[in-house]
C-alpha cells in the first residue's frame, strides 16, 4: 500500500518556476499535487487551472493554510529567498518535508536555522538543484573517479549565463525578484546562476570545501547594487582550483570543464540539457598531438544518456521516496542533501564576502 500511495505536495506561491515543478510532480510516479496557496484565493485558483492541476486540488488564500492542511506531506517552496527562513521553518514544525528552491537562504546562518528545524522535526530537506538528479551526472562522476582515464584533478571551469531579458521579458531588470535588492537581489546572479557553478565545483571534488574564495574585480552591478555578472576563483589547500563566471547579461551558456592529469571532461548544458530526454558529455583521455601536429589522438569520446522522465521529475521522485520512507517505514531523513546545500551556501557566502572586502581572499571555513 505504501509504495502505491503518493507523497502529497503543497505548493507555496505561484512562481513561474513552480510551473516546471508542478509538471515534475505530475510526472513522478510517487508524487501528487494536493494543494496550492497564494496571497489570494483567486490567484491560486487561476494558477491551478492554467497549469492543469487535478480538480481535487485544495486552493488556499495563504501559505499558512497549506501548511495547516493535515493531508499535505511535503511542500515545495519557490518563494523569494528572504522568505525561506520563515516558511521552511514553519513547514518543518508542521511536520512537512521541505523541497526548497535555490538559493536556499541569504546566508548560512539562516540556512542553519532551517536545517535545525528540519532535523528537530524529523523531516526531509532537499534543495531544488535539478541537475544533481540527472543520470548523466553519475556517469560523468564515474569518469572523474577513474585514475586511469582522468588522473588527478587540476582545475574546474564552469559558466552559467543567460540574458535576463529573454527569461523575464523587457521588465526583467526592473521587476524580477532576482534583481530586487529587497528579495533575491541580495545575492543577484551569484545566488541564482552562481549557485549552480559553485555546486558543480564542489561536485567535481567530492564536496571537499575549498580553502579560500576570491571574487574577481570585474563584477557588473545594477544601480541598486545587485550583482548582474561576476566571476570568482576557489582554491583548495592542495593546489587544485576552480573558476566560474555567471551573468544575466550574456548569451545562454551552461558549461563545465574539468581537467585532470590524464583526462578532460566537457559538458555544455549541465544545468538544463538541450533536450529533455537525452543528454551528452565528452571525455578525452591521454590526448596527444597527431603526427605533425595535424590534429588530436585519440579523439574525444561523446557519451549520451537517455531517460524516460526529465531531471526535475527524477528529483521529485527521489525526494518523495525519501519522504515516503520516513512516513511509512520510520526511516531517518537523508542528511546528505543538507550537507550539499550547506557547503554550497558556505562557498557562496565566502564569494560574497570577498566582494564586500574589495575582492580579497576569504577563508571559507572562517564562515563555518
Amino acid at each position: 500500500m505504501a509504495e502505491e500511495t503518493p507523497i502529497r505536495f503543497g505548493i507555496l506561491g505561484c512562481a513561474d518556476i513552480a510551473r516546471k515543478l508542478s509538471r515534475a510532480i505530475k510526472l513522478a510516479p510517487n508524487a501528487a499535487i494536493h494543494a496550492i496557496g497564494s496571497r489570494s484565493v483567486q490567484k491560486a485558483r487561476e494558477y491551478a487551472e492554467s497549469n492543469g492541476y487535478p480538480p481535487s486540488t485544495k486552493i488556499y488564500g495563504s501559505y499558512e493554510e497549506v501548511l495547516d492542511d493535515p493531508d499535505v506531506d511535503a511542500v515545495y517552496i519557490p518563494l523569494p529567498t528572504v522568505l525561506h527562513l520563515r516558511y521552511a521553518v514553519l513547514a518543518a514544525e508542521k511536520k512537512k518535508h521541505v523541497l526548497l528552491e535555490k538559493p536556499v537562504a541569504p546566508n548560512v546562518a539562516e540556512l542553519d536555522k532551517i536545517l535545525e528545524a528540519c532535523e528537530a522535526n524529523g523531516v526531509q530537506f532537499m534543495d531544488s538543484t535539478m541537475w544533481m538528479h540527472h543520470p548523466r551526472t553519475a556517469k560523468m562522476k564515474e569518469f572523474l573517479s577513474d585514475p586511469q582515464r582522468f588522473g588527478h584533478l587540476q582545475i574546474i571551469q564552469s559558466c552559467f549565463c543567460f540574458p535576463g531579458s529573454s527569461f523575464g521579458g523587457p521588465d526583467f531588470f526592473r521587476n524580477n525578484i532576482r534583481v530586487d535588492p529587497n528579495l533575491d537581489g541580495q545575492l543577484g546572479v551569484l545566488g541564482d546562476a552562481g549557485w549552480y557553478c559553485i555546486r558543480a565545483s564542489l561536485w567535481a571534488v567530492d564536496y571537499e570545501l575549498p580553502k579560500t574564495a576570491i571574487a574577481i574585480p570585474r563584477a557588473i552591478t545594477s544601480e541598486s547594487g545587485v550583482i548582474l555578472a561576476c566571476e570568482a576563483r576557489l582554491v583548495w589547500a592542495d593546489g587544485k582550483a576552480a573558476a566560474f563566471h555567471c551573468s544575466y547579461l550574456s548569451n545562454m551558456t551552461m558549461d563545465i570543464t574539468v581537467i585532470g592529469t590524464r583526462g578532460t571532461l566537457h559538458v555544455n548544458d549541465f544545468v538544463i540539457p538541450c533536450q529533455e530526454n537525452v543528454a551528452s558529455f565528452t571525455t578525452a583521455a591521454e590526448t596527444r598531438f597527431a603526427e605533425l601536429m595535424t590534429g588530436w589522438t585519440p579523439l574525444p569520446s561523446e557519451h549520451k544518456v537517455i531517460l524516460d522522465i526529465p531531471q526535475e521529475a527524477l528529483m521529485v521522485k527521489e525526494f518523495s521516496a525519501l519522504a515516503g520512507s520516513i512516513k511509512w517505514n520510520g526511516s531517518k531523513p537523508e542528511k546528505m542533501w543538507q550537507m550539499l546545500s550547506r557547503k554550497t551556501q558556505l562557498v557562496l557566502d565566502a564569494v560574497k564576502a570577498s566582494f564586500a572586502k574589495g575582492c580579497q581572499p576569504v577563508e571559507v571555513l572562517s564562515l563555518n
Side-chain angles (χ1 to χ4, degrees), residues 10-15 35-41 43-44 59-69 72 75-80 83-84 86-88 90-91 94 96:
I11 313 294
L12 300 193
C14 300
I36 182 170
S38 181
R39 287 172 292 181
S40 78
V41 171
K43 184 177 181 181
I59 308 297
Y60 293 118
S62 71
Y63 309 139
E64 288 82 1
E65 288 178 280
V66 176
L67 300 179
D68 285 335
D69 187 328
V72 169
V75 290
Y76 169 58
I77 305 178
L79 300 173
L83 299 178
H84 285 186
R86 176 181 176 182
Y87 287 103
L90 184 58
K94 299 285 185 176
K96 313 300 185 187

Side-chain angles (χ1 to χ4, degrees), residues 149-162:
R149 293 188 295 161
F150 181 73
H152 299 291
L153 191 148
Q154 302 293 294
I155 190 165
I156 308 145
Q157 298 171 328
S158 62
C159 181
F160 183 17
C161 307
F162 59 89

Side-chain angles (χ1 to χ4, degrees), residues 166-185:
S166 71
F167 181 82
D171 293 332
F172 177 87
F173 294 102
R174 292 194 300 271
N175 299 329
N176 195 278
I177 64 170
R178 292 169 175 81
V179 293
D180 185 331
N182 299 312
L183 299 173
D184 286 8

Side-chain angles (χ1 to χ4, degrees), residues 216-365:
I216 306 301
R218 60 185 300 269
I220 299 173
T221 60
S222 68
E223 293 181 359
S224 57
V226 174
I227 300 174
L228 303 179
C230 68
E231 299 176 8
R233 183 175 174 85
L234 312 176
V235 180
W236 280 260
D238 62 1
K240 60 180 176 281
F244 71 85
H245 174 79
C246 52
S247 175
Y248 288 147
L249 305 173
S250 304
N251 189 53
M252 184 174 288
T253 308
M254 304 177 185
D255 291 354
I256 302 174
T257 299
V258 189
I259 304 171
T261 52
R262 306 186 72 169
T264 305
L265 168 76
H266 289 290
V267 58
N268 297 319
D269 55 356
F270 82 99
V271 178
I272 302 172
C274 296
Q275 295 177 272
E276 192 171 64
N277 63 341
V278 61
S280 64
F281 63 98
T282 62
T283 60
E286 298 289 356
T287 313
R288 300 289 185 268
F289 291 115
E291 188 175 359
L292 301 180
M293 297 185 182
T294 56
W296 295 22
T297 184
L299 294 175
S301 301
E302 182 180 16
H303 310 267
K304 292 187 176 181
V305 179
I306 298 173
L307 64 170
D308 296 326
I309 58 175
Q311 60 182 11
E312 59 270 21
L314 291 171
M315 176 184 71
V316 171
K317 180 181 177 182
E318 182 163 5
F319 176 79
S320 298
L322 293 171
S325 185
I326 294 168
K327 179 177 181 179
W328 295 302
N329 302 329
S331 302
K332 298 294 185 182
E334 173 55 70
K335 293 185 179 181
M336 178 189 73
W337 298 107
Q338 293 191 13
M339 178 271 290
L340 301 188
S341 297
R342 192 174 192 277
K343 287 190 173 184
T344 306
Q345 186 75 50
L346 272 173
V347 176
L348 193 155
D349 285 5
V351 173
K352 185 181 178 185
S354 179
F355 276 120
K357 294 181 179 181
C359 297
Q360 294 298 308
V362 170
E363 298 280 333
V364 174
L365 286 178

